[in-house]
Amino acid sequence: MASVTLNKLSKSYGNTPVLHNIDLHIAHGELVVLVGPSGCGKSTLLRVLCGLEDISSGELRIDADVVNTLSPAERGIAMVFQSYALYPHMNVFKNMAFGLKIQGSSKEDIAQRVQAAAEVLHIDHLLDRLPRELSGGQRQRVAIGRAIVRKPRLFLFDEPLSNLDASLRAKTRIELSRLHRELAATMVYVTHDQVEAMTLGDKIVVLNEGHVQQAGTPLTLYQQPANRFVATFIGSPTINLLPARVLEASSGGVRLRLDDGSQVLALVDGSQLQTGESVEIGLRPEHCRVDASTAHSGSKDTSLHAEIALVEHLGESNLLYLKTDIGQKLIVRGDGNAAVRLGDSVIVRAGPESIYLFRADGTAAPRLRPGNMRSAHVH
Ligand code: ADP
């Protein structure tokens, strides 16, 4: 298996730039997920990696070799597409064997490789079936099997699960993780689904408009997003954002005033911030608590007066849609058992360690205790 390095890689279609100066290292055996909104350049990046598109500038290396001008066949990469593109008139065995046959592998070698891949994918009992006699999930495995038998240096997956229903998607995701471990394979996986990205990736690369916004572990992106874009893209429901003004800032924390006049203490490094600067604070729905008592808690927690506008019951928890006294909207994840009613006046509280802070240009102030979160609950 291989490592992949992109150095200042750019790609334009005619005069339209699509990928800008991408620097990225994918280690041997790593599963990297590229995630971002539709049109951000994910598929283009995959197509550039496998050689279906030219590189406009910069360098692409697989291990130590510069592969900018190598053809797809010479790169030793296998790509699994969202449309499985199986040959309808060939059975599973022949579909999986086809690429090897073209390469001129021996019959024994083909049979041995197809059998081994089919066993890994638990489809060895389906080798005689035609694609139309398979479920969506089974077809997806055949498509992956076709990639595995070629023993590629690198696997590329382009939204491979998007044609599957939700429960099969979750199951196949677990299968892919297992496969990644068993094959010790280097994999690059594209999705627009942040949940898929969070659960699959060793490393996630968030793209927006052809720029890498941040690359890191799922937990790093969640706890220490580099900017507002990453903070809003990762996490569901989306992080709440409220405008605020800096009252006092130091490397040990920041005191802010919100538009409703209340004060907030944020445990973020404010050494770059100016007094009076306009910023936004971020509150994740799962880090807020809703308190029916309007009494002052006496702590350093943020306290926002709000009214419950809508409750969505999810079973194990509920989502509370709130409107603050000055009309700002907030979402809070609450305890599913709590008796909360529409129209209740409540206080939304959040601890200083849970607050995110974004400057006007979108960059985040580093959080000082990102992993030290009190769990959310409803009183
Ligand atoms: P994603 O996979 O993230 O949805 P794509 O990589 O498919 O995004 O597309 C990125 C951008 O490049 C889009 O704005 C798209 O319109 C543009 N694009 C993609 N393919 C071509 C092409 N062959 N010619 C011109 N523009 C293209």
Side-chain angles (χ1 to χ4, degrees), residues 9 11 43-55 60 62 67-79 81 154 156:
L9 187 148
K11 167 72 188 167
S43 302
T44 302
L45 185 47
L46 270 200
R47 294 170 64 80
V48 160
L49 287 178
C50 77
L52 291 171
E53 296 285 353
D54 293 339
I55 295 166
L60 173 63
I62 297 183
V67 300
N68 285 33
T69 56
L70 289 193
S71 70
E74 291 167 320
R75 294 188 190 191
I77 293 177
M79 183 135 163
F81 293 96
L154 173 67
L156 306 179

Side-chain angles (χ1 to χ4, degrees), residues 197-352:
M198 292 294 277
T199 49
L200 258 182
D202 296 326
K203 180 154 88 191
I204 300 178
V205 179
V206 181
L207 276 177
N208 189 34
E209 296 181 353
H211 293 273
V212 172
Q213 300 291 314
Q214 191 172 6
T217 65
L219 207 56
T220 301
L221 299 197
Y222 177 81
Q223 294 184 334
Q224 203 66 276
N227 57 40
R228 186 181 191 274
F229 182 85
V230 175
T232 51
F233 197 79
I234 303 289
S236 175
T238 306
I239 191 168
N240 298 292
L241 294 170
L242 296 172
R245 201 168 280 277
V246 175
L247 295 176
E248 216 181 324
S250 75
S251 58
V254 179
R255 209 157 52 81
L256 307 117
R257 193 200 316 276
L258 300 182
D259 285 355
D260 67 357
S262 64
Q263 290 198 12
V264 168
L265 188 65
L267 272 186
V268 300
D269 176 353
S271 49
Q272 305 294 317
L273 302 177
Q274 310 295 324
T275 302
E277 184 173 333
S278 287
V279 295
E280 276 178 310
I281 63 158
L283 292 170
R284 293 213 183 265
E286 56 276 28
H287 297 158
C288 298
R289 334 188 275 293
V290 162
D291 192 344
S293 151
T294 50
H296 187 62
S297 71
S299 72
K300 291 177 174 169
D301 290 359
T302 297
S303 317
L304 290 162
H305 290 257
E307 192 172 287
I308 297 179
L310 182 73
V311 182
E312 264 180 7
H313 295 283
L314 303 177
E316 84 293 353
S317 66
N318 50 25
L319 294 181
L320 311 175
Y321 293 77
L322 301 125
K323 206 171 206 180
T324 67
D325 281 359
I326 59 164
Q328 292 168 325
K329 289 179 180 163
L330 283 178
I331 304 182
V332 172
R333 188 183 287 280
D335 175 343
N337 296 321
V340 281
R341 288 183 312 268
L342 284 187
D344 277 357
S345 286
V346 294
I347 305 259
V348 177
R349 299 191 202 277

Side-chain angles (χ1 to χ4, degrees), residues 13 16 18 36-45 53 158-159 190 207:
Y13 289 112
T16 312
V18 174
S38 182
C40 70
K42 306 180 292 293
S43 302
T44 302
L45 185 47
E53 296 285 353
D158 191 2
E159 307 230 14
V190 159
L207 276 177

Side-chain angles (χ1 to χ4, degrees), residues 7-10 55-60 66 68:
N7 276 327
K8 305 248 170 300
L9 187 148
S10 295
I55 295 166
S56 304
S57 65
E59 191 179 73
L60 173 63
V66 176
N68 285 33

